[in-house]
Amino acid sequence: MAHSIPTSPATTPIPLKSLAPWALLVGLLTLALLYFVGAEQGATSLLSGAGVHEWVHDARHLLGFPCH
């Protein structure tokens, strides 16, 4: 008696052309987050006040950025 082994459906790779816009978006968001955590409220400040600094204060210390 022959037993059939269930096979999993074939997986198809995702083409790089469809991943490129998402990779670009994630990269830009990462750079923006890194800017706000690491450089905002410093010499290259884009926003006035200390609001951004207070929101990302703990993240600065966690990532090793000096802030005071």
Side-chain angles (χ1 to χ4, degrees):
M1 194 185 302
H3 295 285
S4 64
I5 299 173
T7 59
S8 62
T11 58
T12 57
I14 300 172
L16 287 178
K17 282 187 176 183
S18 66
L19 286 179
W22 292 105
L24 180 64
L25 176 67
V26 168
L28 289 174
L29 289 175
T30 301
L31 286 175
L33 180 65
L34 184 63
Y35 168 77
F36 279 110
V37 170
E40 182 62 28
Q41 303 300 340
T44 61
S45 180
L46 295 176
L47 305 171
S48 63
V52 174
H53 176 85
E54 293 303 322
W55 277 97
V56 296
H57 185 88
D58 292 337
R60 287 177 190 237
H61 290 296
L62 180 67
L63 296 173
F65 289 103
C67 65
H68 51 81

Short mmCIF file of all heavy atoms in Angstrom, two decimals:
data_model
loop_
_atom_site.label_atom_id
_atom_site.label_comp_id
_atom_site.label_asym_id
_atom_site.label_seq_id
_atom_site.Cartn_x
_atom_site.Cartn_y
_atom_site.Cartn_z
N MET A 1 0.85 -1.16 0.00
CA MET A 1 0.00 0.00 0.00
C MET A 1 0.90 1.23 0.00
O MET A 1 1.75 1.39 0.85
CB MET A 1 -0.88 -0.01 1.23
CG MET A 1 -1.98 0.97 1.12
SD MET A 1 -3.02 1.16 2.56
CE MET A 1 -3.67 -0.41 2.91
N ALA A 2 0.72 2.07 -0.97
CA ALA A 2 1.54 3.27 -1.08
C ALA A 2 0.89 4.41 -0.31
O ALA A 2 -0.32 4.62 -0.40
CB ALA A 2 1.72 3.65 -2.53
N HIS A 3 1.69 5.11 0.44
CA HIS A 3 1.20 6.26 1.19
C HIS A 3 1.68 7.53 0.50
O HIS A 3 2.84 7.64 0.12
CB HIS A 3 1.74 6.25 2.63
CG HIS A 3 1.24 5.11 3.42
ND1 HIS A 3 -0.04 5.05 3.91
CD2 HIS A 3 1.84 3.96 3.81
CE1 HIS A 3 -0.20 3.92 4.58
NE2 HIS A 3 0.94 3.23 4.53
N SER A 4 0.79 8.43 0.33
CA SER A 4 1.19 9.70 -0.27
C SER A 4 1.56 10.69 0.83
O SER A 4 0.87 10.80 1.84
CB SER A 4 0.08 10.28 -1.15
OG SER A 4 -1.04 10.58 -0.35
N ILE A 5 2.64 11.36 0.63
CA ILE A 5 3.12 12.36 1.59
C ILE A 5 2.61 13.72 1.13
O ILE A 5 2.83 14.11 -0.02
CB ILE A 5 4.66 12.35 1.66
CG1 ILE A 5 5.14 10.98 2.12
CG2 ILE A 5 5.15 13.44 2.58
CD1 ILE A 5 6.63 10.82 2.06
N PRO A 6 1.90 14.42 2.01
CA PRO A 6 1.41 15.74 1.59
C PRO A 6 2.59 16.69 1.36
O PRO A 6 3.56 16.71 2.13
CB PRO A 6 0.55 16.20 2.76
CG PRO A 6 0.96 15.36 3.91
CD PRO A 6 1.53 14.10 3.36
N THR A 7 2.52 17.42 0.31
CA THR A 7 3.58 18.38 -0.01
C THR A 7 3.08 19.79 0.26
O THR A 7 1.89 20.08 0.15
CB THR A 7 4.01 18.26 -1.48
OG1 THR A 7 2.87 18.51 -2.30
CG2 THR A 7 4.56 16.88 -1.78
N SER A 8 4.00 20.63 0.63
CA SER A 8 3.64 22.03 0.86
C SER A 8 3.57 22.74 -0.48
O SER A 8 4.25 22.36 -1.44
CB SER A 8 4.67 22.70 1.76
OG SER A 8 5.93 22.68 1.15
N PRO A 9 2.76 23.78 -0.56
CA PRO A 9 2.67 24.51 -1.83
C PRO A 9 4.01 25.17 -2.15
O PRO A 9 4.76 25.56 -1.26
CB PRO A 9 1.59 25.56 -1.57
CG PRO A 9 1.42 25.60 -0.10
CD PRO A 9 1.90 24.31 0.45
N ALA A 10 4.29 25.27 -3.39
CA ALA A 10 5.55 25.87 -3.83
C ALA A 10 5.55 27.36 -3.48
O ALA A 10 4.55 28.05 -3.65
CB ALA A 10 5.72 25.68 -5.33
N THR A 11 6.66 27.82 -2.97
CA THR A 11 6.78 29.24 -2.65
C THR A 11 7.42 29.96 -3.83
O THR A 11 8.33 29.44 -4.48
CB THR A 11 7.65 29.45 -1.40
OG1 THR A 11 8.93 28.89 -1.62
CG2 THR A 11 7.02 28.79 -0.19
N THR A 12 6.91 31.14 -4.08
CA THR A 12 7.49 31.94 -5.16
C THR A 12 8.23 33.12 -4.54
O THR A 12 7.73 33.76 -3.61
CB THR A 12 6.38 32.48 -6.09
OG1 THR A 12 5.46 33.21 -5.32
CG2 THR A 12 5.66 31.34 -6.79
N PRO A 13 9.41 33.38 -5.02
CA PRO A 13 10.18 34.50 -4.47
C PRO A 13 9.54 35.85 -4.83
O PRO A 13 8.89 35.99 -5.86
CB PRO A 13 11.55 34.36 -5.12
CG PRO A 13 11.32 33.56 -6.35
CD PRO A 13 10.12 32.69 -6.08
N ILE A 14 9.73 36.81 -3.96
CA ILE A 14 9.21 38.16 -4.21
C ILE A 14 10.26 38.91 -5.01
O ILE A 14 11.42 39.00 -4.61
CB ILE A 14 8.93 38.88 -2.88
CG1 ILE A 14 7.90 38.11 -2.07
CG2 ILE A 14 8.47 40.31 -3.14
CD1 ILE A 14 7.69 38.64 -0.68
N PRO A 15 9.89 39.48 -6.14
CA PRO A 15 10.87 40.20 -6.96
C PRO A 15 11.37 41.46 -6.25
O PRO A 15 10.63 42.11 -5.51
CB PRO A 15 10.10 40.57 -8.23
CG PRO A 15 8.71 40.10 -8.06
CD PRO A 15 8.58 39.42 -6.75
N LEU A 16 12.63 41.78 -6.46
CA LEU A 16 13.23 42.95 -5.82
C LEU A 16 12.56 44.25 -6.24
O LEU A 16 12.51 45.20 -5.47
CB LEU A 16 14.72 43.02 -6.13
CG LEU A 16 15.59 42.00 -5.40
CD1 LEU A 16 17.04 42.14 -5.84
CD2 LEU A 16 15.47 42.17 -3.91
N LYS A 17 12.03 44.30 -7.46
CA LYS A 17 11.36 45.52 -7.91
C LYS A 17 10.14 45.85 -7.05
O LYS A 17 9.82 47.01 -6.86
CB LYS A 17 10.94 45.40 -9.37
CG LYS A 17 12.06 45.60 -10.35
CD LYS A 17 11.53 45.63 -11.76
CE LYS A 17 12.65 45.92 -12.73
NZ LYS A 17 12.18 46.03 -14.10
N SER A 18 9.47 44.86 -6.54
CA SER A 18 8.31 45.13 -5.70
C SER A 18 8.71 45.46 -4.27
O SER A 18 7.95 46.07 -3.53
CB SER A 18 7.34 43.96 -5.73
OG SER A 18 7.93 42.83 -5.12
N LEU A 19 9.91 45.07 -3.84
CA LEU A 19 10.38 45.38 -2.50
C LEU A 19 11.09 46.73 -2.42
O LEU A 19 11.18 47.31 -1.34
CB LEU A 19 11.35 44.30 -2.01
CG LEU A 19 10.75 42.96 -1.63
CD1 LEU A 19 11.84 42.00 -1.20
CD2 LEU A 19 9.74 43.13 -0.53
N ALA A 20 11.59 47.23 -3.52
CA ALA A 20 12.39 48.46 -3.53
C ALA A 20 11.65 49.67 -2.94
O ALA A 20 12.24 50.39 -2.12
CB ALA A 20 12.90 48.75 -4.94
N PRO A 21 10.41 49.94 -3.31
CA PRO A 21 9.73 51.11 -2.71
C PRO A 21 9.58 50.99 -1.20
O PRO A 21 9.73 51.97 -0.47
CB PRO A 21 8.37 51.14 -3.40
CG PRO A 21 8.51 50.33 -4.62
CD PRO A 21 9.58 49.33 -4.35
N TRP A 22 9.29 49.79 -0.72
CA TRP A 22 9.13 49.58 0.72
C TRP A 22 10.47 49.74 1.43
O TRP A 22 10.54 50.30 2.53
CB TRP A 22 8.52 48.23 1.01
CG TRP A 22 7.10 48.15 0.56
CD1 TRP A 22 6.63 47.51 -0.54
CD2 TRP A 22 5.98 48.78 1.16
NE1 TRP A 22 5.27 47.69 -0.64
CE2 TRP A 22 4.85 48.47 0.40
CE3 TRP A 22 5.82 49.58 2.29
CZ2 TRP A 22 3.58 48.92 0.71
CZ3 TRP A 22 4.56 50.03 2.61
CH2 TRP A 22 3.45 49.70 1.82
N ALA A 23 11.53 49.23 0.83
CA ALA A 23 12.86 49.36 1.42
C ALA A 23 13.27 50.83 1.47
O ALA A 23 13.86 51.29 2.46
CB ALA A 23 13.88 48.55 0.63
N LEU A 24 12.96 51.59 0.44
CA LEU A 24 13.26 53.02 0.42
C LEU A 24 12.47 53.76 1.50
O LEU A 24 13.02 54.59 2.22
CB LEU A 24 12.94 53.61 -0.96
CG LEU A 24 13.22 55.09 -1.14
CD1 LEU A 24 14.71 55.37 -1.01
CD2 LEU A 24 12.70 55.56 -2.48
N LEU A 25 11.20 53.44 1.64
CA LEU A 25 10.37 54.07 2.67
C LEU A 25 10.90 53.77 4.07
O LEU A 25 11.04 54.68 4.90
CB LEU A 25 8.93 53.60 2.54
CG LEU A 25 7.97 54.10 3.62
CD1 LEU A 25 7.78 55.61 3.50
CD2 LEU A 25 6.66 53.38 3.56
N VAL A 26 11.21 52.53 4.34
CA VAL A 26 11.74 52.15 5.65
C VAL A 26 13.09 52.83 5.89
O VAL A 26 13.36 53.31 6.99
CB VAL A 26 11.85 50.62 5.77
CG1 VAL A 26 12.65 50.21 6.99
CG2 VAL A 26 10.47 50.00 5.81
N GLY A 27 13.92 52.92 4.87
CA GLY A 27 15.21 53.58 5.01
C GLY A 27 15.07 55.06 5.33
O GLY A 27 15.77 55.59 6.20
N LEU A 28 14.15 55.74 4.65
CA LEU A 28 13.93 57.17 4.91
C LEU A 28 13.35 57.41 6.29
O LEU A 28 13.74 58.35 6.99
CB LEU A 28 13.03 57.77 3.84
CG LEU A 28 13.65 57.91 2.45
CD1 LEU A 28 12.60 58.38 1.45
CD2 LEU A 28 14.82 58.85 2.48
N LEU A 29 12.42 56.57 6.71
CA LEU A 29 11.85 56.70 8.06
C LEU A 29 12.91 56.44 9.13
O LEU A 29 12.94 57.13 10.16
CB LEU A 29 10.67 55.75 8.24
CG LEU A 29 9.40 56.12 7.48
CD1 LEU A 29 8.35 55.02 7.65
CD2 LEU A 29 8.87 57.45 7.91
N THR A 30 13.79 55.49 8.87
CA THR A 30 14.87 55.20 9.82
C THR A 30 15.82 56.38 9.92
O THR A 30 16.24 56.76 11.02
CB THR A 30 15.63 53.94 9.38
OG1 THR A 30 14.71 52.85 9.33
CG2 THR A 30 16.76 53.61 10.34
N LEU A 31 16.18 56.99 8.79
CA LEU A 31 17.05 58.16 8.82
C LEU A 31 16.40 59.34 9.53
O LEU A 31 17.06 60.06 10.28
CB LEU A 31 17.45 58.56 7.40
CG LEU A 31 18.48 57.64 6.73
CD1 LEU A 31 18.69 58.07 5.28
CD2 LEU A 31 19.78 57.65 7.49
N ALA A 32 15.11 59.54 9.31
CA ALA A 32 14.41 60.62 10.00
C ALA A 32 14.37 60.38 11.50
O ALA A 32 14.61 61.31 12.30
CB ALA A 32 12.98 60.76 9.45
N LEU A 33 14.11 59.16 11.92
CA LEU A 33 14.10 58.84 13.33
C LEU A 33 15.49 59.02 13.94
O LEU A 33 15.63 59.59 15.03
CB LEU A 33 13.62 57.41 13.55
CG LEU A 33 13.55 56.93 14.98
CD1 LEU A 33 12.50 57.74 15.75
CD2 LEU A 33 13.25 55.47 15.04
N LEU A 34 16.51 58.59 13.23
CA LEU A 34 17.88 58.76 13.71
C LEU A 34 18.24 60.24 13.84
O LEU A 34 18.89 60.65 14.80
CB LEU A 34 18.86 58.05 12.78
CG LEU A 34 20.32 58.06 13.21
CD1 LEU A 34 20.48 57.32 14.53
CD2 LEU A 34 21.17 57.44 12.14
N TYR A 35 17.77 61.06 12.89
CA TYR A 35 18.02 62.50 12.99
C TYR A 35 17.35 63.07 14.24
O TYR A 35 17.98 63.81 15.00
CB TYR A 35 17.51 63.23 11.75
CG TYR A 35 17.50 64.73 11.96
CD1 TYR A 35 18.68 65.45 11.90
CD2 TYR A 35 16.32 65.39 12.28
CE1 TYR A 35 18.69 66.81 12.14
CE2 TYR A 35 16.32 66.75 12.52
CZ TYR A 35 17.50 67.45 12.44
OH TYR A 35 17.51 68.79 12.69
N PHE A 36 16.08 62.77 14.44
CA PHE A 36 15.36 63.35 15.57
C PHE A 36 15.91 62.88 16.91
O PHE A 36 15.94 63.62 17.87
CB PHE A 36 13.86 63.08 15.47
CG PHE A 36 13.17 64.03 14.54
CD1 PHE A 36 12.68 63.57 13.34
CD2 PHE A 36 13.04 65.37 14.86
CE1 PHE A 36 12.05 64.45 12.46
CE2 PHE A 36 12.42 66.25 14.00
CZ PHE A 36 11.93 65.79 12.79
N VAL A 37 16.37 61.64 16.98
CA VAL A 37 16.94 61.15 18.22
C VAL A 37 18.34 61.69 18.44
O VAL A 37 18.72 62.08 19.54
CB VAL A 37 16.96 59.60 18.25
CG1 VAL A 37 17.76 59.08 19.42
CG2 VAL A 37 15.55 59.06 18.31
N GLY A 38 19.13 61.75 17.39
CA GLY A 38 20.54 62.08 17.55
C GLY A 38 20.94 63.53 17.36
O GLY A 38 21.91 63.98 17.97
N ALA A 39 20.23 64.29 16.54
CA ALA A 39 20.72 65.62 16.20
C ALA A 39 19.74 66.75 16.47
O ALA A 39 20.16 67.90 16.59
CB ALA A 39 21.13 65.65 14.73
N GLU A 40 18.46 66.48 16.52
CA GLU A 40 17.48 67.55 16.73
C GLU A 40 17.70 68.21 18.09
O GLU A 40 18.05 67.56 19.06
CB GLU A 40 16.06 66.99 16.63
CG GLU A 40 14.98 68.02 16.79
CD GLU A 40 14.99 69.10 15.73
OE1 GLU A 40 15.44 68.87 14.61
OE2 GLU A 40 14.53 70.20 16.03
N GLN A 41 17.48 69.50 18.14
CA GLN A 41 17.69 70.35 19.32
C GLN A 41 19.17 70.56 19.58
O GLN A 41 19.58 70.88 20.67
CB GLN A 41 17.00 69.78 20.58
CG GLN A 41 15.53 69.56 20.43
CD GLN A 41 14.74 70.82 20.11
OE1 GLN A 41 15.18 71.93 20.34
NE2 GLN A 41 13.57 70.63 19.55
N GLY A 42 19.97 70.36 18.57
CA GLY A 42 21.40 70.60 18.67
C GLY A 42 21.79 71.69 17.69
O GLY A 42 21.03 72.62 17.42
N ALA A 43 22.97 71.57 17.13
CA ALA A 43 23.47 72.57 16.20
C ALA A 43 22.66 72.60 14.90
O ALA A 43 22.59 73.63 14.25
CB ALA A 43 24.94 72.30 15.88
N THR A 44 22.06 71.48 14.52
CA THR A 44 21.30 71.42 13.27
C THR A 44 19.80 71.37 13.51
O THR A 44 19.06 70.72 12.79
CB THR A 44 21.71 70.18 12.46
OG1 THR A 44 21.43 69.03 13.25
CG2 THR A 44 23.18 70.21 12.11
N SER A 45 19.32 72.05 14.52
CA SER A 45 17.92 71.98 14.91
C SER A 45 17.01 72.56 13.84
O SER A 45 17.24 73.65 13.32
CB SER A 45 17.72 72.75 16.22
OG SER A 45 16.38 72.70 16.60
N LEU A 46 15.96 71.83 13.51
CA LEU A 46 14.96 72.31 12.55
C LEU A 46 13.75 72.91 13.24
O LEU A 46 13.04 73.72 12.66
CB LEU A 46 14.49 71.15 11.65
CG LEU A 46 15.53 70.53 10.73
CD1 LEU A 46 14.91 69.36 10.00
CD2 LEU A 46 16.04 71.56 9.75
N LEU A 47 13.49 72.48 14.47
CA LEU A 47 12.32 72.93 15.21
C LEU A 47 12.74 73.71 16.43
O LEU A 47 13.71 73.36 17.09
CB LEU A 47 11.47 71.72 15.62
CG LEU A 47 11.02 70.79 14.50
CD1 LEU A 47 10.39 69.54 15.06
CD2 LEU A 47 10.08 71.50 13.56
N SER A 48 12.00 74.74 16.75
CA SER A 48 12.34 75.51 17.95
C SER A 48 11.69 74.89 19.18
O SER A 48 10.74 74.14 19.08
CB SER A 48 11.86 76.96 17.78
OG SER A 48 10.45 76.98 17.66
N GLY A 49 12.22 75.22 20.32
CA GLY A 49 11.69 74.69 21.57
C GLY A 49 12.37 73.39 21.96
O GLY A 49 13.27 72.91 21.29
N ALA A 50 11.92 72.84 23.08
CA ALA A 50 12.54 71.62 23.60
C ALA A 50 11.59 70.43 23.56
O ALA A 50 11.86 69.41 24.18
CB ALA A 50 13.00 71.87 25.04
N GLY A 51 10.51 70.53 22.82
CA GLY A 51 9.53 69.45 22.78
C GLY A 51 10.07 68.15 22.21
O GLY A 51 9.89 67.08 22.79
N VAL A 52 10.76 68.24 21.09
CA VAL A 52 11.32 67.03 20.47
C VAL A 52 12.37 66.43 21.38
O VAL A 52 12.42 65.21 21.57
CB VAL A 52 11.91 67.35 19.08
CG1 VAL A 52 12.63 66.15 18.51
CG2 VAL A 52 10.82 67.81 18.14
N HIS A 53 13.19 67.27 21.99
CA HIS A 53 14.23 66.78 22.89
C HIS A 53 13.61 65.99 24.05
O HIS A 53 14.11 64.92 24.41
CB HIS A 53 15.06 67.93 23.43
CG HIS A 53 16.08 67.51 24.44
ND1 HIS A 53 17.31 67.04 24.07
CD2 HIS A 53 16.05 67.45 25.79
CE1 HIS A 53 17.99 66.72 25.16
NE2 HIS A 53 17.24 66.97 26.21
N GLU A 54 12.54 66.49 24.61
CA GLU A 54 11.92 65.81 25.73
C GLU A 54 11.28 64.48 25.31
O GLU A 54 11.30 63.52 26.05
CB GLU A 54 10.88 66.71 26.39
CG GLU A 54 11.48 67.92 27.06
CD GLU A 54 12.53 67.56 28.11
OE1 GLU A 54 12.34 66.57 28.84
OE2 GLU A 54 13.53 68.28 28.20
N TRP A 55 10.73 64.41 24.09
CA TRP A 55 10.10 63.18 23.62
C TRP A 55 11.12 62.08 23.37
O TRP A 55 10.83 60.91 23.56
CB TRP A 55 9.31 63.43 22.34
CG TRP A 55 7.95 63.98 22.60
CD1 TRP A 55 7.58 65.29 22.56
CD2 TRP A 55 6.79 63.25 22.96
NE1 TRP A 55 6.26 65.41 22.88
CE2 TRP A 55 5.74 64.17 23.12
CE3 TRP A 55 6.52 61.90 23.16
CZ2 TRP A 55 4.46 63.78 23.47
CZ3 TRP A 55 5.24 61.52 23.51
CH2 TRP A 55 4.22 62.45 23.65
N VAL A 56 12.33 62.44 22.93
CA VAL A 56 13.32 61.42 22.58
C VAL A 56 14.48 61.39 23.57
O VAL A 56 15.50 60.77 23.31
CB VAL A 56 13.85 61.63 21.15
CG1 VAL A 56 12.75 61.46 20.13
CG2 VAL A 56 14.53 62.97 20.98
N HIS A 57 14.33 62.01 24.73
CA HIS A 57 15.41 62.12 25.70
C HIS A 57 15.94 60.75 26.14
O HIS A 57 17.15 60.51 26.12
CB HIS A 57 14.93 62.92 26.92
CG HIS A 57 16.01 63.19 27.91
ND1 HIS A 57 16.81 64.29 27.83
CD2 HIS A 57 16.43 62.48 28.97
CE1 HIS A 57 17.69 64.26 28.82
NE2 HIS A 57 17.48 63.17 29.53
N ASP A 58 15.08 59.85 26.52
CA ASP A 58 15.53 58.54 26.99
C ASP A 58 16.15 57.73 25.85
O ASP A 58 17.09 56.97 26.07
CB ASP A 58 14.37 57.77 27.62
CG ASP A 58 13.92 58.41 28.92
OD1 ASP A 58 14.73 59.12 29.54
OD2 ASP A 58 12.76 58.20 29.31
N ALA A 59 15.63 57.88 24.64
CA ALA A 59 16.20 57.17 23.50
C ALA A 59 17.62 57.65 23.23
O ALA A 59 18.48 56.85 22.84
CB ALA A 59 15.33 57.36 22.26
N ARG A 60 17.87 58.93 23.44
CA ARG A 60 19.24 59.44 23.25
C ARG A 60 20.21 58.75 24.19
O ARG A 60 21.28 58.32 23.79
CB ARG A 60 19.29 60.95 23.52
CG ARG A 60 18.66 61.77 22.46
CD ARG A 60 18.71 63.23 22.86
NE ARG A 60 17.91 64.00 21.96
CZ ARG A 60 18.38 65.02 21.26
NH1 ARG A 60 19.60 65.42 21.42
NH2 ARG A 60 17.59 65.66 20.44
N HIS A 61 19.83 58.63 25.44
CA HIS A 61 20.71 57.98 26.41
C HIS A 61 20.85 56.49 26.10
O HIS A 61 21.95 55.94 26.22
CB HIS A 61 20.19 58.17 27.83
CG HIS A 61 20.31 59.57 28.31
ND1 HIS A 61 21.52 60.20 28.48
CD2 HIS A 61 19.36 60.48 28.65
CE1 HIS A 61 21.31 61.43 28.91
NE2 HIS A 61 20.01 61.62 29.01
N LEU A 62 19.77 55.84 25.70
CA LEU A 62 19.81 54.43 25.39
C LEU A 62 20.75 54.15 24.22
O LEU A 62 21.49 53.17 24.23
CB LEU A 62 18.40 53.94 25.06
CG LEU A 62 18.27 52.45 24.72
CD1 LEU A 62 18.57 51.62 25.96
CD2 LEU A 62 16.89 52.15 24.20
N LEU A 63 20.76 55.01 23.22
CA LEU A 63 21.61 54.83 22.05
C LEU A 63 22.99 55.44 22.19
O LEU A 63 23.81 55.33 21.29
CB LEU A 63 20.90 55.40 20.81
CG LEU A 63 19.61 54.70 20.43
CD1 LEU A 63 18.91 55.46 19.32
CD2 LEU A 63 19.87 53.27 20.04
N GLY A 64 23.26 56.10 23.30
CA GLY A 64 24.60 56.63 23.55
C GLY A 64 24.84 58.03 23.04
O GLY A 64 25.99 58.47 22.96
N PHE A 65 23.79 58.76 22.67
CA PHE A 65 23.95 60.15 22.24
C PHE A 65 24.00 61.05 23.45
O PHE A 65 23.14 60.97 24.32
CB PHE A 65 22.78 60.59 21.34
CG PHE A 65 22.76 59.98 19.99
CD1 PHE A 65 21.89 58.95 19.70
CD2 PHE A 65 23.62 60.42 19.00
CE1 PHE A 65 21.86 58.38 18.45
CE2 PHE A 65 23.61 59.87 17.74
CZ PHE A 65 22.71 58.83 17.47
N PRO A 66 25.00 61.92 23.52
CA PRO A 66 25.00 62.87 24.64
C PRO A 66 23.97 63.97 24.41
O PRO A 66 23.74 64.39 23.28
CB PRO A 66 26.42 63.46 24.61
CG PRO A 66 26.84 63.30 23.19
CD PRO A 66 26.15 62.07 22.67
N CYS A 67 23.35 64.44 25.46
CA CYS A 67 22.39 65.52 25.29
C CYS A 67 22.50 66.56 26.39
O CYS A 67 21.91 67.62 26.28
CB CYS A 67 20.96 65.00 25.18
SG CYS A 67 20.36 64.20 26.65
N HIS A 68 23.23 66.31 27.45
CA HIS A 68 23.45 67.31 28.48
C HIS A 68 24.68 66.96 29.26
O HIS A 68 25.29 65.97 29.14
CB HIS A 68 22.26 67.49 29.40
CG HIS A 68 21.72 66.24 29.99
ND1 HIS A 68 22.25 65.62 31.09
CD2 HIS A 68 20.67 65.47 29.60
CE1 HIS A 68 21.55 64.54 31.36
NE2 HIS A 68 20.59 64.43 30.45
#
